[in-house]
Amino acid sequence: GAVILEDHNPDVSEVVEQRIMMDKLHEAIQLLSDEEAELIKALFFNNVSEREYSREKGISHTAVQKRRQKALEKLRNLIGNVN
C-alpha cells in the first residue's frame, strides 16, 4: 500500500505569528507597573502558584487574584495597542 507521510512541523506562518505575539506580550509587560510585571512573570513564566505568591508577598490569596485580573486586563488592552 501507499505510505502516507504527515508533516508534523509547525507552519512557518504560525511560528512567525507566535513570535510576534510573544514580542508584543513582552513589550506590554514592560508597560505594566513593576508590581504588576513581577506578578505576571511569577505566575505565568516562573510557574509560581497564586497561593505561593501570596505567602511570599504576605498578601491574601484574594488580593493576588484581583491583582492578576487587573494586570491581565491591562495586558489585553496594551497588546491591542502595541504595533
Side-chain angles (χ1 to χ4, degrees):
V3 175
I4 299 173
L5 298 176
E6 290 185 41
D7 184 4
H8 294 288
N9 293 322
D11 182 18
V12 172
S13 64
E14 288 178 27
V15 172
V16 170
E17 221 173 280
Q18 287 178 347
R19 180 62 195 186
I20 290 169
M21 285 306 297
M22 286 303 293
D23 288 347
K24 284 184 176 187
L25 175 61
H26 286 286
E27 286 177 38
I29 288 172
Q30 291 176 355
L31 299 174
L32 296 175
S33 71
D34 290 344
E35 181 183 276
E36 291 167 330
E38 180 185 345
L39 173 69
I40 293 299
K41 288 175 185 175
L43 298 180
F44 294 98
F45 295 97
N46 300 334
N47 296 316
V48 175
S49 73
E50 289 179 355
R51 291 198 185 281
E52 194 177 346
Y53 191 83
S54 71
R55 279 194 300 274
E56 288 174 8
K57 296 297 175 182
I59 56 177
S60 71
H61 180 234
T62 303
V64 171
Q65 289 176 318
K66 287 180 182 177
R67 291 176 189 184
R68 174 183 166 267
Q69 283 308 111
K70 182 180 174 191
L72 287 176
E73 186 62 34
K74 275 179 131 175
L75 282 176
R76 281 187 203 96
N77 292 331
L78 288 168
I79 287 173
N81 297 323
V82 174
N83 292 322

